[in-house]
Amino acid sequence: MEKILDGKAFANLLGQNLKEKVKKLKDEGITPHFCVINIGDDPASKIYVRTKKRRAEKMGIIQDIYQMSADTKQEEALALIDKLNADPAINGLMVQLPAPKQIDADALLERIDPNKDVDGLTPANIGHLWMGNHFVEPATAEGIIALLKHYEIPLEGKNVVIIGRSNIVGKPLAALMLEQNATVTIAHSRTKNLGEITKKADVLVSATGQAFLVKADMVKDGAVVVDVGMNHVDGKLVGDVDFDKVKEKTSYITPVPGGVGPLTVQFLMEAVVKLTRRQNK
Ligand code: NDP
């Protein structure tokens, strides 16, 4: 009975639109330009950075990668952020996480100019998000809301359960779901009786990084399930959800791959263009 929420197709549709927006900016002599700072050798981070670069190129956006060594000092990373903040040719910047142990990642995020904060993760922009006067949002959370809207899945008055409380996914998604007038529950690793809570969800989002955490008996019949997780099991990319069994119970479900992932990259590009436009008005 399930319908697939095809994030990849939706991201491609949005991409067509965004290319047009970038073209318009270019006609005005403005080329969106953003920078990704990657510190250290995390293999997954290197893949994410390259994926973004490919998408940026497709959209007509310039993306610079600043690859810093694993033994980079905090002051060196801060100095680079200061330099990019001050450069009027740069419209956006982000720090790819995780960073090596000696780096205080929160302090780096805090240093980014909120007007150039493409990830929406500076304390100022997190504050704006919760106050409801935001101009940039964390891409994964925004992508999920947009995907549900695209499929005309109502959120008002619905019970939304989010498993995961990270600053990057769970918390910003909760803020955006509240804005849609959903009733939101956030679960995490200390939550008791997780299955009892998830069974009440009209919309269940899992963002834990635990492969196959969400089993069919934890899901209400007819629920909408959004799987943010990206886990490698036996060389294969899988989500947090036991997809084959859970899909039998859902009205809509995102696959992994091809669900939330492509939307995260697309909404990062949308943020770059949005901030570029904002800086040039
Ligand atoms: P974090 O590790 O920062 O957060 C994971 C969250 O899941 C924590 O809040 C943790 O609880 C909770 N959790 C872990 N295990 C359990 C459990 N057994 N039961 C209930 N809750 C649990 O991860 P991220 O938010 O950064 O990412 C989550 C997943 O989403 C990862 O697989 C990541 O790769 C993926 N991801 C995918 C994206 C996409 O575009 N598809 C984008 C970003 C992330 P606690 O707080 O108590 O530790």
Side-chain angles (χ1 to χ4, degrees), residues 127-144:
H128 286 305
L129 187 69
W130 285 96
M131 289 173 79
N133 62 356
H134 40 101
F135 56 86
V136 65
E137 305 77 20
T140 306
E142 204 196 2
I144 292 169

mmCIF file of all heavy atoms in Angstrom, residues 127-144:
data_model
loop_
_atom_site.group_PDB
_atom_site.id
_atom_site.type_symbol
_atom_site.label_atom_id
_atom_site.label_comp_id
_atom_site.label_asym_id
_atom_site.label_seq_id
_atom_site.Cartn_x
_atom_site.Cartn_y
_atom_site.Cartn_z
ATOM 1 N N GLY A 127 18.552 30.559 16.705
ATOM 2 C CA GLY A 127 17.610 31.412 17.450
ATOM 3 C C GLY A 127 16.491 31.915 16.542
ATOM 4 O O GLY A 127 15.313 31.829 16.890
ATOM 5 N N HIS A 128 16.868 32.405 15.365
ATOM 6 C CA HIS A 128 15.855 32.882 14.409
ATOM 7 C C HIS A 128 14.876 31.772 14.058
ATOM 8 O O HIS A 128 13.675 32.011 13.919
ATOM 9 C CB HIS A 128 16.526 33.373 13.111
ATOM 10 C CG HIS A 128 17.222 34.682 13.246
ATOM 11 N ND1 HIS A 128 16.593 35.823 13.701
ATOM 12 C CD2 HIS A 128 18.498 35.059 12.980
ATOM 13 C CE1 HIS A 128 17.437 36.828 13.704
ATOM 14 N NE2 HIS A 128 18.618 36.390 13.289
ATOM 15 N N LEU A 129 15.405 30.550 13.918
ATOM 16 C CA LEU A 129 14.557 29.415 13.539
ATOM 17 C C LEU A 129 13.469 29.196 14.595
ATOM 18 O O LEU A 129 12.291 29.059 14.275
ATOM 19 C CB LEU A 129 15.429 28.156 13.398
ATOM 20 C CG LEU A 129 14.738 26.926 12.855
ATOM 21 C CD1 LEU A 129 14.384 27.121 11.391
ATOM 22 C CD2 LEU A 129 15.631 25.696 12.986
ATOM 23 N N TRP A 130 13.888 29.190 15.850
ATOM 24 C CA TRP A 130 12.919 28.918 16.919
ATOM 25 C C TRP A 130 11.994 30.101 17.175
ATOM 26 O O TRP A 130 10.893 29.940 17.701
ATOM 27 C CB TRP A 130 13.639 28.487 18.209
ATOM 28 C CG TRP A 130 14.128 27.070 18.092
ATOM 29 C CD1 TRP A 130 15.376 26.675 17.732
ATOM 30 C CD2 TRP A 130 13.368 25.870 18.287
ATOM 31 N NE1 TRP A 130 15.447 25.304 17.684
ATOM 32 C CE2 TRP A 130 14.230 24.786 18.031
ATOM 33 C CE3 TRP A 130 12.045 25.604 18.665
ATOM 34 C CZ2 TRP A 130 13.805 23.457 18.127
ATOM 35 C CZ3 TRP A 130 11.635 24.278 18.765
ATOM 36 C CH2 TRP A 130 12.509 23.220 18.492
ATOM 37 N N MET A 131 12.463 31.308 16.794
ATOM 38 C CA MET A 131 11.599 32.490 16.965
ATOM 39 C C MET A 131 10.637 32.655 15.799
ATOM 40 O O MET A 131 9.724 33.478 15.858
ATOM 41 C CB MET A 131 12.466 33.748 17.092
ATOM 42 C CG MET A 131 13.205 33.791 18.417
ATOM 43 S SD MET A 131 14.354 35.161 18.451
ATOM 44 C CE MET A 131 13.224 36.497 18.804
ATOM 45 N N GLY A 132 10.868 31.893 14.730
ATOM 46 C CA GLY A 132 9.958 31.967 13.580
ATOM 47 C C GLY A 132 10.266 33.115 12.648
ATOM 48 O O GLY A 132 9.434 33.480 11.815
ATOM 49 N N ASN A 133 11.452 33.729 12.750
ATOM 50 C CA ASN A 133 11.808 34.809 11.814
ATOM 51 C C ASN A 133 13.115 34.475 11.086
ATOM 52 O O ASN A 133 13.991 35.306 10.955
ATOM 53 C CB ASN A 133 11.908 36.163 12.539
ATOM 54 C CG ASN A 133 12.992 36.160 13.598
ATOM 55 O OD1 ASN A 133 13.619 35.125 13.841
ATOM 56 N ND2 ASN A 133 13.247 37.287 14.216
ATOM 57 N N HIS A 134 13.179 33.241 10.595
ATOM 58 C CA HIS A 134 14.416 32.743 9.974
ATOM 59 C C HIS A 134 14.518 33.125 8.507
ATOM 60 O O HIS A 134 13.505 33.245 7.821
ATOM 61 C CB HIS A 134 14.508 31.222 10.124
ATOM 62 C CG HIS A 134 13.209 30.497 9.925
ATOM 63 N ND1 HIS A 134 12.899 29.865 8.764
ATOM 64 C CD2 HIS A 134 12.147 30.340 10.740
ATOM 65 C CE1 HIS A 134 11.700 29.317 8.864
ATOM 66 N NE2 HIS A 134 11.213 29.597 10.060
ATOM 67 N N PHE A 135 15.748 33.293 8.045
ATOM 68 C CA PHE A 135 15.967 33.522 6.609
ATOM 69 C C PHE A 135 16.813 32.417 5.992
ATOM 70 O O PHE A 135 17.024 32.398 4.786
ATOM 71 C CB PHE A 135 16.600 34.900 6.354
ATOM 72 C CG PHE A 135 17.893 35.143 7.089
ATOM 73 C CD1 PHE A 135 19.103 34.725 6.551
ATOM 74 C CD2 PHE A 135 17.902 35.803 8.308
ATOM 75 C CE1 PHE A 135 20.298 34.952 7.215
ATOM 76 C CE2 PHE A 135 19.088 36.037 8.989
ATOM 77 C CZ PHE A 135 20.286 35.609 8.447
ATOM 78 N N VAL A 136 17.297 31.478 6.792
ATOM 79 C CA VAL A 136 18.011 30.310 6.281
ATOM 80 C C VAL A 136 17.763 29.154 7.261
ATOM 81 O O VAL A 136 17.656 29.385 8.470
ATOM 82 C CB VAL A 136 19.521 30.615 6.078
ATOM 83 C CG1 VAL A 136 20.230 30.910 7.399
ATOM 84 C CG2 VAL A 136 20.217 29.504 5.312
ATOM 85 N N GLU A 137 17.607 27.955 6.732
ATOM 86 C CA GLU A 137 17.241 26.807 7.565
ATOM 87 C C GLU A 137 18.184 25.649 7.273
ATOM 88 O O GLU A 137 18.646 25.515 6.138
ATOM 89 C CB GLU A 137 15.802 26.344 7.238
ATOM 90 C CG GLU A 137 14.734 27.408 7.348
ATOM 91 C CD GLU A 137 14.717 28.386 6.169
ATOM 92 O OE1 GLU A 137 15.265 28.043 5.097
ATOM 93 O OE2 GLU A 137 14.180 29.490 6.324
ATOM 94 N N PRO A 138 18.459 24.793 8.261
ATOM 95 C CA PRO A 138 19.281 23.608 7.990
ATOM 96 C C PRO A 138 18.647 22.762 6.871
ATOM 97 O O PRO A 138 17.444 22.506 6.869
ATOM 98 C CB PRO A 138 19.300 22.880 9.333
ATOM 99 C CG PRO A 138 19.124 23.975 10.339
ATOM 100 C CD PRO A 138 18.150 24.928 9.700
ATOM 101 N N ALA A 139 19.484 22.372 5.919
ATOM 102 C CA ALA A 139 18.983 21.837 4.646
ATOM 103 C C ALA A 139 18.158 20.556 4.788
ATOM 104 O O ALA A 139 17.142 20.397 4.097
ATOM 105 C CB ALA A 139 20.171 21.594 3.712
ATOM 106 N N THR A 140 18.578 19.644 5.638
ATOM 107 C CA THR A 140 17.845 18.369 5.724
ATOM 108 C C THR A 140 16.426 18.610 6.234
ATOM 109 O O THR A 140 15.449 18.087 5.678
ATOM 110 C CB THR A 140 18.579 17.392 6.667
ATOM 111 O OG1 THR A 140 19.926 17.269 6.212
ATOM 112 C CG2 THR A 140 17.923 16.033 6.685
ATOM 113 N N ALA A 141 16.321 19.423 7.277
ATOM 114 C CA ALA A 141 15.004 19.699 7.858
ATOM 115 C C ALA A 141 14.117 20.408 6.842
ATOM 116 O O ALA A 141 12.945 20.050 6.650
ATOM 117 C CB ALA A 141 15.170 20.556 9.118
ATOM 118 N N GLU A 142 14.676 21.388 6.153
ATOM 119 C CA GLU A 142 13.889 22.118 5.167
ATOM 120 C C GLU A 142 13.471 21.196 4.023
ATOM 121 O O GLU A 142 12.345 21.261 3.527
ATOM 122 C CB GLU A 142 14.701 23.306 4.635
ATOM 123 C CG GLU A 142 13.783 24.381 4.108
ATOM 124 C CD GLU A 142 14.483 25.398 3.240
ATOM 125 O OE1 GLU A 142 15.695 25.273 3.000
ATOM 126 O OE2 GLU A 142 13.793 26.316 2.782
ATOM 127 N N GLY A 143 14.382 20.313 3.633
ATOM 128 C CA GLY A 143 14.087 19.371 2.549
ATOM 129 C C GLY A 143 12.943 18.444 2.910
ATOM 130 O O GLY A 143 12.085 18.137 2.065
ATOM 131 N N ILE A 144 12.898 18.006 4.152
ATOM 132 C CA ILE A 144 11.829 17.085 4.581
ATOM 133 C C ILE A 144 10.474 17.799 4.540
ATOM 134 O O ILE A 144 9.488 17.263 4.023
ATOM 135 C CB ILE A 144 12.130 16.519 5.991
ATOM 136 C CG1 ILE A 144 13.340 15.588 5.920
ATOM 137 C CG2 ILE A 144 10.911 15.805 6.572
ATOM 138 C CD1 ILE A 144 13.896 15.167 7.268
#
